[in-house]
Amino acid sequence: MRVRQTDSHLSPEKLRIVLIRPSKYDDEGYVIRHLRGVLPSNTLACLSGLTDELKQTHALGRGIEVEIRIFDDTVQKIPIRRIIRSNSQRRRTVIALVGVQSNQFPRAADLARQFREGGLQVLIGGFHISGSLSLFADIPSEIRELMDLGISVVAGEVEDTWAGILRDALEGRLKPLYNFLGCKPDLSTRPVPRVHHRYLRRFIASNYGTIDCGRGCPYRCSFCTIINVQGRTMRFRSKETIIRAIRDNYQRYGVDYYFFTDDNFARNALWREIFQELALLRDREGIPIRFMMQVDTQAYRLPDFIPMAARAGCTQVFIGLESINQKNLQSAGKCQNRVQDYRDMIAAWHAEKIATHVAYIIGFPFDTAESVREDIDRLKSDLKVEQASFFMLTPLPGSQDHLQMVQTGQPIDPDLNNYDAFHETMPHPHLGPGEWTAVYRDAWSSFYSFDYIRQVLSEANPENYWNIFRNFIWYRNSVMIEGGHPMIHGFFRLKDRKERRRGFTVESRLMHLRRRLRDWSALARGWFTLMLEMEELWLQTRKRSEAELRLMVEVKRIRAEVHRNLHAAELQIAHIRAKAYFPGLRVPSRLALRLRNLNFGIAARITYSRADLQQFWLRTRLRLKHGQLLRIRPLKIAYALWRDTQLMLLFAIALARGDSGSGGLDSRAG
Ligand code: B12
Ligand code: SF4
């Protein structure tokens, strides 16, 4: 590789730090990128906060201007050439590829090579490097290869050392390896991840922030990398820094929903204080913060934990359930999870109206196709969790499982791009190649079936209804339309023709256009079906107030009696009379009543299902197919189209506003 040279006699006046979150490749070698993402990167926000502090405190020298740029490969094309051109001796640019997990490593390495070829200094850090270096004395070959190209690798956390690294970059002499695994920074006074409003606008919800309030975990699960990288002794940010950042983010950018990314918030020694402060923010300052957090299965036993979480604004917990087979849990060293407690545990969260979302791993040694099917059924019928995220067991670099497999010479997938928890990366004792994937996919389809979603939505707490509803759209889109994992996929896939993984050919424009046309048509079909299904779920489950239910019964009765027999004027009088019994009833105008025959408004609101429309379209399609054109009535088609359009419009409005679509009849409805 030829690295572009720049003169070295001029001392720099400016350091431009370009923080990049790399994406990963799909199975066809294209970068996984979406028009809108769902989950912003906490590591990007964290390093941005640290860099910002250095800038404010002039830690790199008074005469040095510091500029920070952030890019996210999962939602935007990285302007590689432009960034390379911005580099000069006086205005030095350093690239930092951040939070690189194993599945992102191949993509990160490709980006690093391109920047390095352009003569830039490049740093790469995150869990792949930290995890690998925590396990092995010898640096793994894929990391060594980058170091040989002059790319610097960073292991461990950099809260205390980032300034030193950047000083090296300023002087143009980055070291090949920075290993900070031995020194775990005290987080209590360190800057909190920084929100970038412009960055958040690339995501579906721009009111969504992330903070890791603590790091480390006391447990010893063999599939997990946290203990070897962040350690078993926990460290925490102070409640003051957290609350200050939350207040500030709300006042400046309107961020009012958080994902606290701690692996286990219940083991954060400061949880009580943090919850108290959040409750005060809500009650005294009127800042309506809500959040989701990750907890272990034992969290529910902590006195006050759940009620205080609810008062603090917790709407959802992500619980490390992992399996409902005790033998599997034992094999993974996750003995703190006790299957017999699960039902009580879920019920305790539900009692405070907090939705439960469980992490579930498929591919533990005691899993078989049959047992997984039964377990997923139990998740639905017995535990009744609102959501589940399924992962295939993966020997992640940094985990005990990885170490053990390498040491015992067991075969594992050499392609790190597959370490995304939805690819088979090792053999399984009972599930053959391909079968494991099929069982995994079946788990998604079974859990996110129409019937189960309907059950969850019907029983959902009205305040949480739309959160859960929108999550279902995101999950079904990721799994059923994008064919991947919700934690990787966003909305509306983009594919850059030229950004293809090494080893895949760059297609001609025509071939690529054909590919994209196929993609777009599949996407359009997928979204059409998804939206109709979600609309039907909304019709069947949306929360209705008692007044609305009574009104609907009455309106239905009146309609049945007078339908088409009365003139608009007579109908209006009937409504005025009905108003005496139902003060909330609006008396429609004559025009509205004339339109009534077109079934607008009230009719849409009293629709519980579009099953009749579905039947109609099915019949029409069959008639078309069999050439029975004379049996197709254009007027009926126009009417059905009209009704479908109204319903879709009402659904879209309710979805966007997050209300029940009850036409303002009950402001308490979800
Ligand atoms: C939040 C989270 C996510 C979020 C956001 C990711 C993010 N980075 O913000 C989402 C939901 C998107 C996610 C998804 C996944 N995740 Co995740 N995630 C986490 C979690 C719980 C917290 C991340 C975090 O905020 N950490 C705090 C930050 C500040 O720590 P950090 O990333 O290590 O960064 C510090 C240092 O490493 C260093 N650093 C990092 N990069 C760089 C770069 C440079 C240049 C320098 C100098 C320093 C530096 O500086 C930072 C400050 O000290 C971690 C576990 C954990 N405790 O970290 C798992 C974790 C990172 N995820 C993991 C996995 C496996 C996944 C998924 C594959 C799982 C799945 N199928 O859903 C996907 C893949 C997504 C993808 N391809 O992007 C694994 C990765 C293991 C590995 N070897 O790759 C982890 C470690 C969990 C585990 N079980 O072991 N994840
Ligand atoms: S899986 Fe969860 S409980 Fe187990 S070690 Fe990792 S973070 Fe801790």
Side-chain angles (χ1 to χ4, degrees):
M1 184 181 73
R2 249 189 46 222
V3 177
R4 218 180 72 183
Q5 298 297 325
T6 39
D7 2 309
S8 56
H9 59 281
L10 296 169
S11 54
E13 294 165 343
K14 179 170 181 174
L15 185 65
R16 174 180 289 191
I17 301 141
V18 181
L19 303 171
I20 302 176
R21 172 207 211 175
S23 182
K24 69 173 300 263
Y25 294 110
D26 66 16
D27 292 344
E28 289 173 328
Y30 288 102
V31 177
I32 298 187
R33 183 175 297 146
H34 293 88
L35 188 65
R36 282 286 173 275
V38 179
L39 295 163
S41 164
N42 186 54
T43 312
L44 201 55
C46 185
L47 278 156
S48 160
L50 290 179
T51 319
D52 207 42
E53 187 204 37
L54 300 184
K55 183 178 167 172
Q56 306 301 335
T57 55
H58 304 283
L60 301 181
R62 284 237 156 238
I64 303 294
E65 193 189 327
V66 173
E67 190 185 316
I68 311 164
R69 288 269 180 275
I70 64 167
F71 292 98
D72 188 332
D73 197 27
T74 69
V75 285
Q76 71 190 124
K77 185 176 161 75
I78 312 294
I80 298 177
R81 287 216 204 109
R82 184 151 57 82
I83 295 173
I84 291 175
R85 278 200 303 272
S86 73
N87 185 43
S88 72
Q89 275 307 308
R90 305 306 292 270
R91 293 152 50 96
R92 211 160 263 178
T93 298
V94 57
I95 304 294
L97 291 150
V98 308
V100 180
Q101 301 181 12
S102 301
N103 69 90
Q104 298 163 302
F105 190 81
R107 171 65 183 158
D110 286 350
L111 285 170
R113 281 190 205 97
Q114 293 180 61
F115 283 117
R116 192 67 199 124
E117 277 167 23
L120 266 59
Q121 301 186 85
V122 184
L123 288 154
I124 171 167
F127 258 80
H128 181 64
I129 290 163
S130 303
S132 304
L133 267 55
S134 73
L135 295 184
F136 306 109
D138 290 338
I139 298 175
S141 59
E142 75 280 357
I143 300 177
R144 164 82 47 207
E145 237 173 70
L146 293 189
M147 290 165 67
D148 291 345
L149 297 175
I151 293 160
S152 304
V153 302
V154 186
E157 298 166 43
V158 295
E159 268 70 12
D160 294 338
T161 45
W162 187 217
I165 300 176
L166 289 181
R167 262 183 229 117
D168 288 352
L170 196 63
E171 287 163 20
R173 47 183 180 80
L174 281 177
K175 298 185 182 78
L177 169 67
Y178 292 90
N179 190 339
F180 306 119
L181 283 165
C183 43
K184 307 275 184 269
D186 166 14
L187 299 176
S188 60
T189 54
R190 308 309 296 131
V192 171
R194 183 172 185 273
V195 157
H196 283 263
H197 196 51
R198 275 180 57 197
Y199 168 56
L200 288 184
R201 284 214 295 259
R202 295 184 178 276
F203 292 81
I204 251 350
S206 56
N207 62 335
Y208 186 97
T210 59
I211 299 182
D212 52 315
C213 301
R215 294 190 197 149
C217 178
Y219 294 119
R220 290 181 186 272
C221 311
S222 66
F223 54 82
C224 178
T225 63
I226 316 297
I227 24 189
N228 291 324
V229 174
Q230 297 182 337
R232 296 187 57 229
T233 309
M234 301 204 57
R235 291 153 293 130
F236 319 106
R237 296 188 189 280
S238 71
K239 69 165 195 277
E240 289 79 14
T241 54
I242 295 170
I243 299 298
R244 201 180 313 127
I246 290 177
R247 184 187 290 114
D248 199 44
N249 290 337
Y250 177 74
Q251 287 166 350
R252 288 170 64 179
Y253 312 115
V255 172
D256 60 3
Y257 197 92
Y258 280 88
F259 170 21
F260 294 139
T261 65
D262 311 40
D263 293 285
N264 195 345
F265 201 90
R267 302 300 141 200
N268 187 319
L270 303 177
W271 66 260
R272 193 178 283 277
E273 284 95 323
I274 297 173
F275 285 166
Q276 267 164 356
E277 292 292 326
L278 286 172
L280 285 179
L281 274 189
R282 290 162 62 82
D283 298 342
R284 291 220 187 124
E285 298 182 38
I287 299 180
I289 297 297
R290 290 167 311 139
F291 64 91
M292 69 160 285
M293 60 180 175
Q294 311 196 93
V295 295
D296 60 42
T297 51
Q298 298 306 302
Y300 82 108
R301 292 177 179 275
L302 288 173
D304 302 334
F305 187 72
I306 300 183
M308 285 185 71
R311 271 201 301 284
C314 180
T315 60
Q316 190 181 76
V317 273
F318 188 72
I319 306 168
L321 200 81
E322 324 300 4
S323 178
I324 51 177
N325 178 334
Q326 197 68 52
K327 283 198 280 183
N328 278 335
L329 293 163
Q330 256 146 14
S331 74
K334 194 146 191 166
C335 306
Q336 70 271 26
N337 281 19
R338 296 206 311 243
V339 175
Q340 71 270 25
D341 295 345
Y342 282 0
R343 205 186 301 168
D344 290 348
M345 184 260 294
I346 299 291
W349 288 104
H350 284 169
E352 289 290 343
K353 300 190 170 147
I354 294 175
T356 53
H357 181 163
V358 297
Y360 201 93
I361 298 179
I362 293 173
F364 279 124
F366 295 94
D367 280 341
T368 63
E370 196 47 39
S371 75
V372 173
R373 220 165 288 135
E374 284 168 13
D375 292 346
I376 306 303
D377 283 345
R378 274 191 60 201
L379 275 187
K380 299 188 289 180
S381 58
D382 203 9
L383 300 185
K384 299 193 166 102
V385 293
E386 283 85 348
Q387 262 189 272
S389 282
F390 300 104
F391 304 92
M392 286 168 96
L393 185 65
T394 305
L396 290 169
S399 66
Q400 197 55 34
D401 285 352
H402 184 85
L403 181 67
Q404 196 250 336
M405 292 194 78
V406 172
Q407 280 176 343
T408 52
Q410 293 175 63
I412 54 171
D413 193 336
D415 184 359
L416 289 168
N417 194 62
N418 291 340
Y419 284 61
D420 51 13
F422 60 93
H423 283 87
E424 294 176 16
T425 45
M426 58 184 183
H428 188 274
H430 309 297
L431 300 165
E435 191 190 3
W436 187 358
T437 307
V439 168
Y440 166 79
R441 289 199 173 281
D442 284 351
W444 282 107
S445 318
S446 156
F447 190 89
Y448 290 92
S449 63
F450 185 92
D451 288 345
Y452 191 60
I453 294 184
R454 182 179 48 200
Q455 183 185 322
V456 170
L457 289 173
S458 308
E459 291 165 11
N461 160 25
E463 281 159 34
N464 235 345
Y465 178 86
W466 282 106
N467 281 340
I468 300 175
F469 195 99
R470 290 184 182 128
N471 279 355
F472 282 141
I473 296 185
W474 161 32
Y475 267 57
R476 285 183 69 119
N477 166 59
S478 306
V479 179
M480 282 138 205
I481 301 181
E482 300 287 354
H485 200 283
M487 291 187 187
I488 288 181
H489 283 275
F491 290 94
F492 309 112
R493 181 69 200 280
L494 306 171
K495 275 184 195 168
D496 192 293
R497 181 174 71 93
K498 290 191 186 155
E499 273 185 313
R500 214 167 177 193
R501 191 176 180 185
R502 288 193 307 171
F504 287 87
T505 46
V506 172
E507 292 170 331
S508 68
R509 281 202 173 79
L510 187 66
M511 272 177 72
H512 193 68
L513 180 67
R514 272 204 213 121
R515 171 191 294 279
R516 294 305 279 149
L517 285 175
R518 275 197 308 274
D519 290 349
W520 289 327
S521 105
L523 186 77
R525 272 182 280 126
W527 267 93
F528 184 67
T529 315
L530 177 66
M531 279 299 113
L532 285 183
E533 267 181 13
M534 295 314 291
E535 179 193 298
E536 178 67 16
L537 283 161
W538 170 69
L539 286 169
Q540 292 191 21
T541 62
R542 72 198 178 86
K543 305 292 172 205
R544 295 160 202 267
S545 64
E546 265 180 40
E548 185 189 354
L549 290 171
R550 283 206 327 267
L551 174 75
M552 284 191 305
V553 171
E554 196 57 21
V555 170
K556 264 187 179 169
R557 192 184 61 76
I558 294 174
R559 283 187 56 208
E561 280 175 17
V562 298
H563 193 57
R564 294 181 209 286
N565 296 333
L566 293 182
H567 293 299
E570 290 169 301
L571 249 180
Q572 200 179 32
I573 292 166
H575 269 86
I576 291 166
R577 287 196 185 126
K579 195 173 161 60
Y581 298 97
F582 301 102
L585 182 66
R586 262 182 300 154
V587 178
S589 68
R590 284 191 192 176
L591 178 66
L593 286 166
R594 281 192 197 106
L595 288 174
R596 183 196 60 95
N597 281 341
L598 295 175
N599 223 7
F600 189 76
I602 293 175
R605 282 183 211 140
I606 63 171
T607 306
Y608 283 104
S609 163
R610 59 176 293 286
D612 59 326
L613 281 163
Q614 185 80 16
Q615 284 296 325
F616 171 79
W617 291 120
L618 212 72
R619 268 198 317 272
T620 309
R621 254 177 53 194
L622 278 177
R623 282 174 187 164
L624 263 176
K625 199 171 154 194
H626 296 123
Q628 300 167 336
L629 298 183
L630 289 177
R631 296 189 64 195
I632 296 176
R633 306 276 151 76
L635 266 178
K636 280 195 171 171
I637 290 200
Y639 179 63
L641 263 177
W642 168 241
R643 278 190 62 206
D644 253 340
T645 313
Q646 297 172 30
L647 284 176
M648 194 44 96
L649 267 174
L650 282 173
F651 171 55
I653 292 167
L655 182 62
R657 288 200 328 206
D659 70 16
S660 65
S662 60
L665 284 164
D666 180 11
S667 56
R668 284 168 302 136

